[in-house]
Amino acid sequence: MATPGGPRQGSFPPNYNPNALANNMENLQINQYSQQQSGNLAGSAYRPPNATPFGQQPPRFSGGRPGPAPPGVFSSGQAPPTGPAQTTFSQSPMSARPTGSPGVPQPAFASRPPPPGALPSSIGGPATSAPSGLGPRPGPFPSPPLASRPALPPHMVTSGPASNGPPAFTPGLSQGGPQHPPAMGGMPRPLVGSQQPPTMLPSGPSSQTFQMRPSFGAPTSGVSSAIGQPAPPFPAPPQSMIPPPSSLPFSAPPQSMIPPPGSLPFAAPQGMIQSSGSPYGMQTWPPQPQQPATSDYIVKDTGNCSPRYMRSTINQIPCTVDLLSTSAMQLALLVQPLALPHPSEEAIQVVDFGENGPVRCSRCKGYINPFMKFIDQGRRFICNFCGFTDETPRDYHCNLGPDGRRRDADERPELCRGTVDFVASKEYMVRDPMPAVFFFLIDVSMNAIQTGATAAACSAINQVIADLPEGPRTMVGIATFDSTIHFYNLKRALQQPLMLIVPDVQDVYTPLHSDVIVPLSECRQHLEILLDSIPTMFQNNRTADSAFGAAIKAAFLAMKNTGGKLLVFQSVLPSIGMGSLATREAEGRTNVSAGEKEPHKLLQPADKSLKTMAIEFAEYQVSVDLFITTQTYVDITSLSVVPRTTGGQVYYYHPFSALSDPAKLYNDLRWNITRPQGFEAVMRVRCSQGIQVQEYSGNFCKRIPTDVDLPAIDCDKAIMVTLKHDDKLQEGSECAFQCALLYTTVYGQRRIRVSTLSLPCTSILSNLFRSADLDAQFSCILKQVANEIPSAPLSQVRDQATNVCVNILYSYRKFCATVSSAGQLILPEALKLLPLYILALVKSSGLRSDGRIDDRSFWINYVSPLPTPLVIPLVYPRMIAIHDLDEKESDDSIIPTPIPLSGQNVVDEGVYLLENGEECLIYAGDSVQPNILQKLFGISSVAEIPNQFVLQQQDNSLSKKVNAIVNEIRRQRCSYLRLRLCRKGDPSGAAFFSYMVEDRIGSGPTYVEYLIHIHRQIQIKMP
């Protein structure tokens, strides 16, 4: 038997390649859909041997994503500011965009020295590969010699390797870190500009007293929001109101100034960042800055889990509920248990405690972790969650060293790592681990056949079969449907697949209890023949009806005994059988205000039977992924209930194009089945005494209050966990959080992924603002807004989002920046870009009144499980100029520096690329030089821009650079972005300019006007 708690050497399946997953991620570069694929959709498209869905081999992962500038980092010998970091904003809209070095804010994170022996990658045994169910992970973390960093320009300063383990000190241990090349193609953080004199904004006295926000986005008393009004209620201030520079105050502690209104602060590309996850130790203060979710960083796990797996909205926990309420900020965790690590990071260790299972607290059932304290020479340990003292199991006993730590702590992953995988013992299994089952359900109704959606689905499935896990545990099934359901017997003994028709769509059944789902190794040839023939078999189908509800019910009956993934390709509105729907979009068109006044009728499911089915699916561990390939309204609101409840995902291709969308469909399907994932999962988050979980939010089924049931969980799914106080916390203590995910790998191994985070408690309000995490805070606001849309008018939801921002900034202004002039808009350094992102949110497609109902519903579903690194790009996309790539000096970055989202940065002679993680728009101005158009698109004038666009690589350097940029973005986003070519004066051009969030869009204010509005709201609330 394995040594209790020792690293597991691994029992991997035959032909298991520990680099396969890394290669999948590295090859997430999406090439053009082959001409044979697009031209022969009726059959099996050609797929070269060992081809990846994303084309050429990409560079190493850089992970850069757009977002705000990281908090400042102190160089050697530099002292932090004494007061809370803050930003002042000049109201003058005429100021020029500043450039230069950022200000020096108070950092947000502590540095905890690593325990002895923590730096080498070895932890007492051979480094093991990741659990095979999650796919192989990159190799162990390299440990180059420690060295001090050379001096860098201010805009290139990054944090050193912060250590984050339990308090332990090694005298003389260098805190320097290994050097890394600059990040490639990552979206830089916005420019923070050189320090400039703040401009005072005069304000009149206000007698209004402070009022607490009772709930999310509660309207501010006596304050009306300007968002969504016919015209902005605030003109630019008269220039005469701006005092001369000589009168500006500079006696306050050092503060960085927010850039002039109308300009997004962008920074130059950063180099590689090293972090130690979420980094606190009570003895190490001041803290080092948390790495923004959108930046490129490498985590050295020495006790606290990486922020990739669990991220707190505030990195110091308020001691009381009153302190949290006063701050008006959210207290929540963003949990992504199976998040992809950086390729340079150490693999997550697999620990096997044998038949007894992992050591746990006997009272709260918390798992052993680096923050549990051993006492009485190691014979007992104190739980860091409930404080209970337990006896150490006899075979797990070890004496303590002079520092109070176990002598073997650095050799046991569970005692020195924030994230580990425990091998689950039999007590965690209700049944044998389920096999990896993939069932494909294809719409063959007339519309699906005529638009090419059926052929595209069959071609995509045929190609991804080779990427399914090898071995006898991988099972597949396939069915088609229109007004009836067609199952196929794939048994090897038959000469060809046999069709079995189920005509009853009101009381469905499965025609065979076996041979509908069979091992892939036994039916691969039959499956390929069937997929080749389905488009031809139904090419003359004139049945327009779709029995979607009956089809997924019948497929579920076939999968009921095993569970698994049900992948459904749907093209039209379900119109017959159980779960049939009627079009509701007409109601929204005839009543222009329907989207504002009656959202409950348009954005809530029309049929409860689908919800009932989804709960039953989740109970039997069946997860549904829905690929909607349509050109019409399909009521995503009702259909999406099934994926959201079963831990699945909605993919939306509207309007579906048989020319450009098959490539995206194939790549989406391939990543869906090859990404790290687990089945039949259960998740629970535990907290220290004084804090408890209030609510979970994401794609899952919840049958009991404390647990989240996930028929499927993958590396792209995040769950928001909101927290609340149930008692007062002690100043100077630490508050611990632990996420435990019990799941089955695709190879049938039962695992428990445990991530632990320990943060300090504080009773000082300014510490909360200093340690706020902008990415996590905004993620919570975005997800709460998405949850509000189906139950409130859009104008009210927009006002609620603005009020959240106003309340946070008002609290900071009143309690943390009292010495500043009343005419200044003071922003906490960590949240200085919050107003910009809230403005982008209220102008997003999910909150615009002119959007299609299905588009808004898809936006809500997309946001629900969205991981933190993709949140800010969704509302504030990345825009780059691509017409002058040949003229720019080449550097290590594939993707050029982004530019702010304002029309003044878009010239008629230019070509621009804009992406938000889901789609990619390429805009060509009216006056673009013909030779540039010829090089990029093979056309001579803007008038020749086609409606359906496929980016081809031309034989010139400009085209090659643009293709490299698109592939790099697709790799970063783990998504094959839909490409659209846009031009001025066309609906496509209007779609492009709708993302210029710093400009006036419809009745929405500009960035300048919005900031002035925020400032006036704060002034009204000030006593």
Side-chain angles (χ1 to χ4, degrees):
M1 184 181 73
T3 302
R8 184 178 176 86
Q9 299 303 314
S11 55
F12 300 110
N15 302 321
Y16 177 76
N17 177 9
N19 293 316
L21 173 63
N23 291 339
N24 279 348
M25 272 305 303
E26 294 279 326
N27 291 328
L28 202 61
Q29 298 225 24
I30 306 158
N31 58 354
Q32 307 304 326
Y33 203 62
S34 69
Q35 294 299 317
Q36 287 174 284
Q37 292 170 356
S38 58
N40 184 29
L41 288 175
S44 173
Y46 168 76
R47 184 169 184 265
N50 301 323
T52 67
F54 299 129
Q56 63 253 31
Q57 183 75 12
R60 299 292 289 175
F61 174 82
S62 64
R65 290 188 175 112
V73 180
F74 303 114
S75 59
S76 176
Q78 183 177 3
T82 56
Q86 55 190 25
T87 300
T88 61
F89 167 66
S90 165
Q91 188 172 341
S92 169
M94 305 301 293
S95 302
R97 184 186 305 276
T99 58
S101 64
V104 183
Q106 177 76 14
F109 263 76
S111 171
R112 177 177 296 172
L119 286 175
S121 58
S122 173
I123 56 171
T128 59
S129 298
S132 49
L134 293 180
R137 295 185 182 273
F141 185 85
S143 300
L146 296 176
S148 59
R149 291 185 180 275
L152 294 174
H155 67 277
M156 293 292 289
V157 175
T158 58
S159 64
S163 175
N164 67 339
F169 299 88
T170 303
L173 186 63
S174 169
Q175 289 299 308
Q179 304 303 308
H180 297 277
M184 296 183 296
M187 172 139 185
R189 310 293 285 179
L191 254 187
V192 289
S194 57
Q195 292 192 358
Q196 295 188 359
T199 303
M200 288 189 177
L201 180 67
S203 62
S206 173
S207 60
Q208 184 155 345
T209 58
F210 172 73
Q211 295 182 359
M212 287 295 179
R213 174 171 54 90
S215 61
F216 167 70
T220 305
S221 176
V223 177
S224 60
S225 172
I227 303 306
Q229 300 299 323
F234 30 78
Q239 293 298 314
S240 60
M241 299 174 68
I242 301 176
S246 60
S247 66
L248 297 175
F250 285 95
S251 57
Q255 18 181 31
S256 59
M257 312 302 178
I258 199 166
S263 67
L264 173 67
F266 276 102
Q270 301 180 48
M272 188 71 69
I273 298 171
Q274 269 228 349
S275 168
S276 349
S278 308
Y280 273 119
M282 290 181 290
Q283 294 90 335
T284 54
W285 190 260
Q288 288 192 354
Q290 167 73 300
Q291 302 306 334
T294 51
S295 66
D296 183 21
Y297 58 92
I298 296 174
V299 175
K300 180 69 171 73
D301 182 351
T302 54
N304 260 326
C305 71
S306 164
R308 304 185 202 279
Y309 304 120
M310 185 156 51
R311 200 175 188 103
S312 175
T313 55
I314 310 174
N315 291 300
Q316 293 187 53
I317 306 302
C319 287
T320 64
V321 65
D322 291 339
L323 185 64
L324 177 63
S325 299
T326 301
S327 74
M329 289 191 289
Q330 314 282 326
L331 180 58
L333 300 173
L334 278 304
V335 180
Q336 195 176 348
L338 302 183
L340 286 172
H342 192 287
S344 297
E345 291 175 0
E346 180 184 36
I348 293 178
Q349 301 293 318
V350 181
V351 181
D352 189 359
F353 276 86
E355 296 179 358
N356 294 328
V359 175
R360 304 177 69 179
C361 171
S362 60
R363 177 192 285 176
C364 70
K365 301 302 181 183
Y367 289 87
I368 189 73
N369 64 80
F371 300 96
M372 285 188 173
K373 183 179 180 180
F374 285 84
I375 59 174
D376 194 14
Q377 288 303 309
R379 288 188 286 269
R380 294 184 297 165
F381 65 90
I382 302 174
C383 177
N384 58 323
F385 300 107
C386 66
F388 186 71
T389 301
D390 260 305
E391 295 290 332
T392 304
R394 180 174 299 180
D395 58 357
Y396 193 62
H397 177 266
C398 178
N399 290 329
L400 305 184
D403 58 356
R405 301 176 70 232
R406 284 175 54 124
R407 293 184 181 275
D408 65 349
D410 296 326
E411 284 73 47
R412 291 190 176 275
E414 73 276 11
L415 298 180
C416 65
R417 295 291 184 265
T419 300
V420 293
D421 262 341
F422 292 115
V423 176
S425 55
K426 291 184 178 180
E427 66 177 300
Y428 294 92
M429 303 180 193
V430 178
R431 60 175 184 176
D432 291 336
M434 60 180 278
V437 177
F438 300 88
F439 196 99
F440 302 96
L441 187 59
I442 306 171
D443 185 353
V444 293
S445 63
M446 180 175 65
N447 183 276
I449 294 292
Q450 293 178 351
T451 60
T454 299
C458 292
S459 177
I461 297 169
N462 213 348
Q463 294 175 81
V464 302
I465 288 173
D467 297 306
L468 292 173
E470 294 288 344
R473 293 182 56 85
T474 301
M475 306 181 74
V476 296
I478 190 168
T480 56
F481 67 98
D482 45 22
S483 61
T484 57
I485 307 160
H486 326 112
F487 284 92
Y488 298 90
N489 188 334
L490 299 174
K491 194 173 182 180
R492 177 186 292 175
L494 300 175
Q495 291 185 351
Q496 62 182 11
L498 177 66
M499 179 190 290
L500 305 165
I501 300 177
V502 178
D504 189 347
V505 294
Q506 296 295 342
D507 185 14
V508 296
Y509 56 90
T510 301
L512 291 175
H513 291 288
S514 60
D515 299 336
V516 172
I517 298 177
V518 295
L520 176 62
S521 57
E522 298 179 7
C523 69
R524 186 184 298 271
Q525 184 177 1
H526 280 177
L527 188 59
E528 291 175 352
I529 293 173
L530 177 61
L531 289 167
D532 286 339
S533 61
I534 283 176
T536 305
M537 190 187 314
F538 291 96
Q539 64 182 352
N540 297 319
N541 189 6
R542 293 295 177 264
T543 302
D545 290 327
S546 168
F548 168 82
I552 62 172
K553 177 70 171 182
F556 160 72
L557 293 176
M559 304 171 67
K560 189 173 181 178
N561 292 332
T562 59
K565 288 177 70 74
L566 173 58
L567 301 109
V568 185
F569 300 83
Q570 172 73 14
S571 295
V572 295
L573 184 74
S575 56
I576 191 172
M578 60 175 63
S580 60
L581 303 168
T583 180
R584 296 189 291 170
E585 190 179 38
E587 178 183 351
R589 289 175 176 172
T590 55
N591 180 7
V592 294
S593 63
E596 292 286 339
K597 294 182 178 179
E598 297 180 339
H600 58 283
K601 289 187 177 180
L602 303 175
L603 291 171
Q604 292 188 356
D607 188 279
K608 294 183 179 180
S609 63
L610 290 176
K611 178 68 174 180
T612 303
M613 276 195 286
I615 294 174
E616 186 181 10
F617 290 5
E619 182 179 353
Y620 287 90
Q621 310 301 334
V622 174
S623 172
V624 180
D625 292 301
L626 185 57
F627 297 80
I628 300 177
T629 53
T630 184
Q631 295 181 340
T632 58
Y633 172 79
V634 294
D635 198 352
I636 292 179
T637 300
S638 298
L639 298 184
S640 63
V641 167
V642 182
R644 289 190 69 169
T645 307
T646 60
Q649 185 172 345
V650 177
Y651 299 85
Y652 186 43
Y653 311 83
H654 177 273
F656 180 80
S657 165
L659 175 65
S660 57
D661 283 334
K664 176 171 173 57
L665 182 65
Y666 160 62
N667 282 284
D668 287 346
L669 179 62
R670 183 177 188 267
W671 180 240
N672 182 288
I673 65 172
T674 60
R675 62 190 173 186
Q677 58 191 294
F679 302 133
E680 53 181 347
V682 179
M683 191 190 87
R684 176 182 293 189
V685 172
R686 292 178 173 88
C687 312
S688 291
Q689 286 181 323
I691 298 288
Q692 64 176 310
V693 172
Q694 180 177 12
E695 186 180 10
Y696 294 95
S697 177
N699 287 9
F700 54 78
C701 180
K702 188 176 177 184
R703 287 194 291 268
I704 62 175
T706 56
D707 292 352
V708 166
D709 295 325
L710 295 152
I713 177 72
D714 57 68
C715 64
D716 296 327
K717 297 290 193 307
I719 293 175
M720 181 175 72
V721 185
T722 54
L723 307 171
K724 66 179 181 180
H725 286 76
D726 59 11
D727 200 355
K728 183 178 180 180
L729 302 174
Q730 291 296 319
E731 171 75 21
S733 64
E734 290 201 359
C735 185
F737 307 95
Q738 187 176 79
C739 172
L741 177 77
L742 173 65
Y743 67 100
T744 301
T745 71
V746 293
Y747 294 105
Q749 296 160 332
R750 202 74 169 140
R751 295 277 191 264
I752 309 166
R753 170 68 57 88
V754 175
S755 297
T756 307
L757 174 65
S758 186
L759 300 175
C761 302
T762 183
S763 58
I764 302 173
L765 183 61
S766 61
N767 285 347
L768 298 185
F769 286 103
R770 184 180 295 119
S771 63
D773 186 315
L774 174 62
D775 300 86
Q777 285 284 343
F778 185 72
S779 293
C780 288
I781 294 173
L782 176 69
K783 292 173 186 290
Q784 288 169 341
V785 162
N787 290 336
E788 289 286 324
I789 292 175
S791 58
L794 290 179
S795 58
Q796 180 178 324
V797 177
R798 289 191 291 263
D799 289 346
Q800 288 176 345
T802 297
N803 288 336
V804 170
C805 181
V806 169
N807 291 335
I808 292 174
L809 299 183
Y810 164 70
S811 176
Y812 181 78
R813 178 69 179 81
K814 180 177 180 181
F815 299 106
C816 301
T818 54
V819 297
S820 303
S821 168
Q824 291 178 322
L825 174 59
I826 309 296
L827 305 177
E829 177 64 26
L831 301 175
K832 64 184 177 182
L833 291 177
L834 182 61
L836 176 64
Y837 295 146
I838 295 294
L839 174 64
L841 171 59
V842 299
K843 292 183 177 182
S844 64
S845 59
L847 291 178
R848 286 204 296 266
S849 301
D850 57 352
R852 296 176 63 251
I853 297 172
D854 269 354
D855 291 345
R856 188 178 304 146
S857 180
F858 172 72
W859 186 89
I860 294 171
N861 280 276
Y862 181 77
V863 165
S864 177
L866 193 64
T868 306
L870 293 179
V871 164
I872 288 176
L874 176 66
V875 300
Y876 196 97
R878 170 166 47 184
M879 181 170 71
I880 59 176
I882 59 176
H883 57 278
D884 55 355
L885 293 177
D886 285 340
E887 303 169 8
K888 296 178 179 177
E889 295 183 4
S890 60
D891 54 25
D892 293 333
S893 176
I894 297 177
I895 302 177
T897 302
I899 54 182
L901 297 179
S902 174
Q904 67 182 7
N905 298 315
V906 179
V907 298
D908 284 343
E909 297 79 17
V911 182
Y912 301 88
L913 183 149
L914 182 146
E915 63 87 17
N916 66 355
E918 178 64 19
E919 66 175 348
C920 181
L921 306 182
I922 300 178
Y923 173 82
D926 289 339
S927 306
V928 181
Q929 296 179 12
N931 65 320
I932 293 179
L933 291 174
Q934 188 67 40
K935 288 180 179 179
L936 289 176
F937 313 120
I939 58 178
S940 56
S941 70
V942 177
E944 299 178 21
I945 289 178
N947 292 329
Q948 298 185 14
F949 172 65
V950 176
L951 182 65
Q952 303 287 346
Q953 181 167 305
Q954 312 292 332
D955 189 17
N956 60 77
S957 62
L958 182 60
S959 177
K960 291 177 181 178
K961 288 179 180 178
V962 171
N963 275 268
I965 289 171
V966 171
N967 280 337
E968 174 65 11
I969 293 171
R970 285 169 166 166
R971 187 190 64 82
Q972 288 178 10
R973 306 301 190 211
C974 295
S975 171
Y976 188 101
L977 282 67
R978 295 184 85 193
L979 285 179
R980 293 174 59 190
L981 198 52
C982 309
R983 62 180 178 180
K984 196 172 182 178
D986 190 78
S988 61
F992 176 83
F993 282 102
S994 71
Y995 286 105
M996 301 296 110
V997 297
E998 295 191 30
D999 298 336
R1000 185 184 304 283
I1001 300 176
S1003 59
T1006 65
Y1007 183 30
V1008 182
E1009 295 167 341
Y1010 189 73
L1011 283 168
I1012 299 171
H1013 172 64
I1014 293 289
H1015 185 38
R1016 290 188 174 175
Q1017 306 287 51
I1018 295 172
Q1019 289 177 317
I1020 291 173
K1021 292 170 67 73
M1022 289 295 290

